[in-house]
Amino acid sequence: MAFADTRQLQLLHFAFFLGIYLAALLGNGLIITAIACNHRLHTPMYFFLLNLSLLDLGTISTTVPKSMANSLWDTRAISYWGCAGQVFLLTFFLSTEYSVLTIMAYDRFIAICKLLHYKTIMGSRACVKMAAAAWSSGFLHALLHTGNTFSIPLCQSNAVGQFFCEIPQILKLSCSDSYLRELGVLVVSACLGFGCFVFIVVSYVQIFTAVLRIPSEQGRHKAFSMCLPHLAVVSLFVVTAMFVYLKPPSISSPSLDLVVAVLYAVVPPAVNPLIYSMRNKELKDTLKKLIQLVLFQQQ
């Protein structure tokens, strides 16, 4: 589905998405470079932030370039295998990102509530194992969903009611009861996702309880500064995804589905770097030095 039929609006959509895409590439690229180049940032928190930036780049690169090309060339076509590829990659990146956000909540919990045991629990080997588990589970999750979705006979239409291929819209094209199998997998995934959400909430309840017990105001401020960016990113991710998949059919419409899809698949990858760098002095200082170095080399 295209955002607009008139040529002027198609070009406006192309320019809008190009701006968001370049902002996401720049923001996430700077964070990845800053963390990789500064040895002071080689800590568990920044290691998982680097993973998050890589996933954000993957998420936005799966949907936006194809949509931009369609607007620029005034077409709505995507091949069958291209559609399957979009479903696989988007499911892979989003599910892995949710796992990484859950691990980051655990990291913040250990850093604040069990500080004396932090280096023992969150050693480099443990962090690599947790990251590998997140990426592996995301891969298996995406493989299961993609295989289930595209094993269903599709005969209603060849028009996907979204600007990229997503599972709920493809299931609407099925012509048999076999879609119930994928629906069952979606329910299981939703239960697992809810379990991760409960884990994050419980972690932050304990974190804020511990922070409020810190006697010094400076200590409380430092602890909140560590947690608030992650909490903001989790809230943006969860709220938009829940609205997409749990909104009642009575308020569903093609135009609303398009706007909401932009909110959960396009906006977070561009906004996340800004959220993380806004209240993080170490990251801001590293980014400033990196930008100054680039400008100095150009002169």
Side-chain angles (χ1 to χ4, degrees):
M1 179 179 284
F3 277 91
D5 293 322
T6 60
R7 190 62 187 148
Q8 290 82 358
L9 289 176
Q10 286 175 346
L11 293 175
L12 182 64
H13 160 247
F14 171 80
F16 176 67
F17 265 29
L18 179 63
I20 291 179
Y21 189 53
L22 291 176
L25 289 179
L26 180 63
N28 288 291
L30 282 173
I31 285 181
I32 291 168
T33 307
I35 293 172
C37 294
N38 189 347
H39 290 283
R40 290 178 59 194
L41 301 184
H42 291 181
T43 63
M45 181 176 77
Y46 292 108
F47 171 71
F48 292 120
L49 179 56
L50 185 145
N51 277 265
L52 191 68
S53 292
L54 288 171
L55 291 164
D56 280 336
L57 285 177
T59 300
I60 199 167
S61 297
T62 300
T63 57
V64 168
K66 179 60 179 173
S67 181
M68 286 165 53
N70 283 357
S71 291
L72 190 62
W73 304 114
D74 191 19
T75 178
R76 300 184 184 189
I78 185 169
S79 68
Y80 180 84
W81 291 110
C83 188
Q86 273 197 339
V87 168
F88 175 81
L89 289 173
L90 192 64
T91 307
F92 169 55
F93 289 126
L94 289 177
S95 57
T96 305
E97 181 164 339
Y98 192 40
S99 298
V100 170
L101 288 172
T102 306
I103 294 169
M104 291 174 81
Y106 176 70
D107 172 65
R108 297 300 84 210
F109 167 74
I110 299 297
I112 292 172
C113 300
K114 298 183 182 292
L115 181 58
L116 295 177
H117 303 285
Y118 183 75
K119 288 186 177 180
T120 305
I121 297 172
M122 300 300 294
S124 57
R125 185 173 295 179
C127 290
V128 170
K129 285 181 179 178
M130 284 188 277
W135 286 81
S136 301
S137 63
F139 178 82
L140 293 174
H141 190 241
L143 200 63
L144 180 64
H145 277 295
T146 307
N148 260 332
T149 301
F150 286 90
S151 65
I152 298 168
L154 307 175
C155 58
Q156 298 287 354
S157 168
N158 67 342
V160 179
Q162 189 52 271
F163 72 94
F164 60 92
C165 290
E166 66 171 356
I167 294 171
Q169 298 296 334
I170 294 171
L171 291 181
K172 290 179 181 179
L173 309 181
S174 66
C175 52
S176 69
D177 291 336
S178 56
Y179 77 92
L180 292 173
R181 182 179 58 190
E182 172 58 18
L183 203 60
V185 176
L186 285 172
V187 170
V188 172
S189 298
C191 292
L192 292 173
F194 182 72
C196 290
F197 177 72
V198 170
F199 179 85
I200 293 171
V201 170
V202 171
S203 297
Y204 270 102
V205 168
Q206 296 186 64
I207 286 170
F208 288 133
T209 303
V211 169
L212 293 174
R213 290 177 187 159
I214 297 175
S216 69
E217 186 178 343
Q218 186 179 0
R220 288 196 299 271
H221 181 267
K222 184 179 179 182
F224 277 125
S225 295
M226 287 169 62
C227 297
L228 288 179
H230 175 256
L231 196 57
V233 170
V234 170
S235 301
L236 181 64
F237 184 91
V238 172
V239 169
T240 52
M242 284 176 65
F243 188 76
V244 169
Y245 292 103
L246 299 179
K247 69 180 184 296
S250 57
I251 65 168
S252 183
S253 68
S255 56
L256 180 64
D257 289 345
L258 284 172
V259 172
V260 172
V262 171
L263 290 178
Y264 93 91
V266 178
V267 172
V271 173
N272 287 350
L274 186 63
I275 293 173
Y276 267 107
S277 59
M278 199 180 299
R279 296 178 62 89
N280 192 312
K281 189 176 184 301
E282 284 185 325
L283 194 57
K284 282 195 290 187
D285 291 343
T286 304
L287 289 173
K288 283 179 185 177
K289 290 177 183 177
L290 192 63
I291 293 169
Q292 287 171 357
L293 182 63
V294 172
L295 292 175
F296 177 76
Q297 288 179 344
Q298 287 180 347
Q299 290 175 356

